[in-house]
Amino acid sequence: MKEELHMNRSQKLFKNTAILSIGSLFSKGLLFIMLPLYTRWLTPEGYGIYDLLVTYITLLVPVIPLNSGEALFRQLVDAKTTHEKREIFSNVLILCCSGVIFFLAFWKIFLKKLLISYSSLYGYILFYLISEVFFNLLMFYLRGIKELKWYAFCNILNVIIMTINSIFFVYYLKLGISGLMLSYIISFTSVSLLISIRFRIVRMLNLKYFKFRRIHSILMYSVPLIPTSLAWWIMDASDRTIVTIVLGSFSNGILAVAHKIPSICQMIFSVFNLSWQESASESVYDKDRDRYYNKTLNQIAILLISIGILLISCNFIIFNYIFDKNYYAAYYQCPILIVALILSSLAHFLGSIYNAFKETVRNAVTTLLSAITNIIIHLLLVSSIGLYAATLSTLLSYLFAFVCRYIDLKSQIKLKINRRVYVLFIIMFLVILFVYINHPIINIIVFIFSLTLFVFINQRIILNVFKHFGGKLCRN
């Protein structure tokens, strides 16, 4: 019976991940394909400024609605009736709109002065923010009501609209950063309108559903997530801010591109984590919960490390033949960031367990400590080792976050890291060493070895993916 329960959960987790992966991998893959074009259409300085602005926008997107989107998803998972779902959505939307109104007042009083250097982009920044806030809220709603196919479709559509518009505005009209931001505004707004029409969002809204008890329960879950979001953002934004101030926008452009390759690991995990959040929450009261959590942790760790090894071995291909030569300095930063983002993904995995237990305060504390660690290390090292201070401080802070959460959760659930995980980490560090040697023959040998290792380790996953999608194609 236990094995059957575990299989049902695992099958559901795989099915949900497969559905979400279609949308996310397509959309992120298209953005990755567009990256070499952006590096040609925008200078390193221009791309560095755009990356810094988007980094600050990323902070405000969850903060403006008080992270109520996370609470919307978590409460919809538990909701049993249509009336309860409407009540949850109506109260979350009231919080979200209140946050936007407060932000608009805050924008006029303070934020415009803070962003005085980018006065020509005020309007774009404002509409980018608001359109993304409501887009994200509606995407949380789709996940909460388990419309995962629509969630995947909307991700794809959003990126297609953005890509077409960016080609028009940035390449043909030469609008630069403003053209890129306008492309996102149009895509966020278009997809939000589509979701609103298809799922009759207006019918979900009614002031009679407003209840202080519901608002209180939403805020009790979502508010502790704000320091968590802030801390994760600090670990990312502090690097870019310090680099821009100390080393200049050119170096931040290099750092931004260096982040793009490791973000593939983060992208793959983020797809899995969307379905894992639901699975972890649904399994929180199961008798074999600990065994399920531990097995899933080791499986995702092995998958991510094997992907990381393969990506590191591809470094010479990406920087010699894909990216513009002006960004070649990022070649040596990428391997460090790949390791960092693997550790970040594992820390987020454990963070989802905190959220399943509704222990959002413990989640926030570990993240804040990691953010402080990141800033201190970066400031201590930036004057002596330059751009390496950003990547090394990121790696060490994510390691700190994972270790803290792992030790803390071991007091509550049984967790044990498999020996294979340690062996793969050792192999990854050896691959990094050979990649830094940067000899053409060694690079090819390391790539062939890494590809073989990836296929060998993940052969069951690869076969399952082919069976899943191959079976669907045959039926169609």
Side-chain angles (χ1 to χ4, degrees):
M1 188 71 180
K2 286 183 180 179
E3 285 296 324
E4 187 180 343
L5 177 63
H6 180 76
M7 283 297 293
N8 289 337
R9 283 183 313 209
S10 299
Q11 287 170 358
K12 184 180 179 182
L13 183 60
F14 176 79
K15 179 184 176 182
N16 289 347
T17 303
I19 293 170
L20 292 167
S21 67
I22 296 170
S24 189
L25 294 178
F26 178 89
S27 58
K28 298 289 175 64
L30 187 56
L31 287 174
F32 183 76
I33 291 169
M34 291 300 295
L35 181 60
L37 298 178
Y38 294 149
T39 62
R40 284 167 171 77
W41 298 343
L42 299 172
T43 63
E45 290 87 349
Y47 194 83
I49 291 169
Y50 168 75
D51 180 73
L52 188 64
L53 288 174
V54 171
T55 300
Y56 284 106
I57 288 170
T58 304
L59 163 69
L60 293 170
V61 165
V63 171
I64 289 171
L66 299 176
N67 250 325
S68 54
E70 294 275 3
L72 173 65
F73 163 74
R74 184 64 184 87
Q75 294 200 7
L76 284 175
V77 169
D78 293 337
K80 304 299 182 186
T81 65
T82 302
H83 179 275
E84 190 178 0
K85 290 177 181 178
R86 287 182 174 178
E87 180 185 301
I88 293 165
F89 185 79
S90 293
N91 283 277
V92 166
L93 190 66
I94 288 168
L95 277 175
C96 185
C97 291
S98 301
V100 169
I101 292 168
F102 178 80
F103 169 75
L104 290 173
F106 184 73
W107 167 268
K108 288 184 177 181
I109 295 168
F110 175 69
L111 208 57
K112 285 181 76 171
K113 293 180 181 178
L114 185 66
L115 297 172
I116 191 70
S117 302
Y118 311 107
S119 56
S120 61
L121 298 171
Y122 280 165
Y124 297 104
I125 295 169
L126 186 62
F127 283 106
Y128 188 118
L129 264 168
I130 295 172
S131 61
E132 189 172 2
V133 165
F134 286 105
F135 170 78
N136 282 355
L137 185 71
L138 291 170
M139 294 298 274
F140 274 117
Y141 174 72
L142 291 181
R143 284 179 57 208
I145 61 173
K146 297 180 174 59
E147 287 285 352
L148 298 185
K149 290 181 180 178
W150 263 92
Y151 181 91
F153 170 72
C154 289
N155 259 327
I156 293 171
L157 183 62
N158 181 55
V159 174
I160 290 174
I161 294 172
M162 189 283 300
T163 302
I164 293 170
N165 279 291
S166 68
I167 292 170
F168 178 71
F169 291 124
V170 181
Y171 180 70
Y172 285 105
L173 297 186
K174 311 292 182 188
L175 294 180
I177 298 171
S178 58
L180 203 51
M181 298 190 83
L182 183 58
S183 303
Y184 275 101
I185 293 167
I186 293 171
S187 62
F188 288 143
T189 305
S190 302
V191 177
S192 295
L193 286 172
L194 175 65
I195 296 170
S196 299
I197 294 167
R198 170 62 182 79
F199 291 93
R200 300 177 180 181
I201 295 298
V202 175
R203 289 191 178 185
M204 295 288 293
L205 307 175
N206 198 320
L207 286 176
K208 73 177 183 181
Y209 292 125
F210 176 76
K211 287 186 171 71
F212 283 108
R213 174 185 52 80
R214 179 64 69 179
I215 292 286
H216 180 263
S217 68
I218 291 168
L219 291 176
M220 285 297 290
Y221 183 88
S222 67
V223 169
L225 290 172
I226 295 174
T228 306
S229 299
L230 179 63
W232 284 120
W233 176 85
I234 287 170
M235 281 194 265
D236 187 38
S238 64
D239 290 337
R240 287 167 163 78
T241 304
I242 294 168
V243 166
T244 301
I245 293 171
V246 179
L247 304 175
S249 293
F250 182 93
S251 293
N252 189 53
I254 299 297
L255 182 64
V257 170
H259 268 278
K260 297 304 177 184
I261 310 305
S263 66
I264 294 174
C265 283
Q266 199 172 38
M267 171 190 72
I268 292 168
F269 174 76
S270 67
V271 173
F272 164 81
N273 199 42
L274 290 173
S275 50
W276 169 243
Q277 287 172 352
E278 180 182 340
S279 184
S281 297
E282 291 176 341
S283 307
V284 75
Y285 300 114
D286 292 349
K287 291 181 180 179
D288 66 336
R289 174 199 68 196
D290 293 9
R291 177 171 169 266
Y292 176 57
Y293 285 176
N294 190 66
K295 184 177 179 180
T296 309
L297 169 63
N298 282 287
Q299 286 176 335
I300 195 64
I302 290 169
L303 174 64
L304 288 173
I305 297 167
S306 64
I307 292 170
I309 291 170
L310 182 59
L311 285 175
I312 292 166
S313 71
C314 292
N315 222 26
F316 77 101
I317 300 171
I318 294 165
F319 284 94
N320 284 328
Y321 305 107
I322 298 178
F323 288 165
D324 189 88
K325 61 183 180 180
N326 289 324
Y327 294 86
Y328 194 80
Y331 175 93
Y332 296 98
Q333 309 299 331
C334 262
I336 301 170
L337 288 173
I338 287 172
V339 179
L341 290 182
I342 290 171
L343 293 169
S344 167
S345 298
L346 296 178
H348 274 91
F349 176 93
L350 298 179
S352 295
I353 297 177
Y354 277 133
N355 291 344
F357 290 141
K358 298 183 179 178
E359 293 280 359
T360 50
V361 174
R362 288 163 67 190
N363 196 357
V365 170
T366 54
T367 314
L368 283 168
L369 290 173
S370 303
I372 293 167
T373 302
N374 180 67
I375 294 171
I376 291 171
I377 294 172
H378 196 169
L379 290 172
L380 288 174
L381 297 178
V382 68
S383 60
S384 56
I385 61 174
L387 204 53
Y388 282 100
T391 50
L392 286 172
S393 63
T394 299
L395 189 154
L396 293 172
S397 61
Y398 286 145
L399 175 62
F400 181 82
F402 173 73
V403 171
C404 280
R405 291 180 175 185
Y406 182 78
I407 293 170
D408 183 40
L409 282 169
K410 277 193 76 173
S411 64
Q412 192 168 354
I413 56 178
K414 296 175 183 177
L415 292 174
K416 185 179 180 182
I417 296 175
N418 195 297
R419 289 181 183 177
R420 291 178 67 193
V421 175
Y422 292 114
V423 171
L424 282 173
F425 262 119
I426 292 169
I427 292 171
M428 183 164 60
F429 285 116
L430 289 173
V431 169
I432 290 172
L433 180 63
F434 287 122
V435 165
Y436 277 172
I437 293 171
N438 201 12
H439 188 280
I441 296 174
I442 294 176
N443 285 339
I444 293 169
I445 293 170
V446 169
F447 173 72
I448 294 170
F449 166 79
S450 301
L451 181 60
T452 306
L453 180 68
F454 174 80
V455 173
F456 175 75
I457 289 172
N458 301 296
Q459 54 186 305
R460 286 184 62 186
I461 295 174
I462 294 168
L463 286 172
N464 284 335
V465 169
F466 275 112
K467 284 179 183 178
H468 181 79
F469 291 109
K472 282 195 170 184
L473 287 172
C474 290
R475 287 194 295 272
N476 292 335

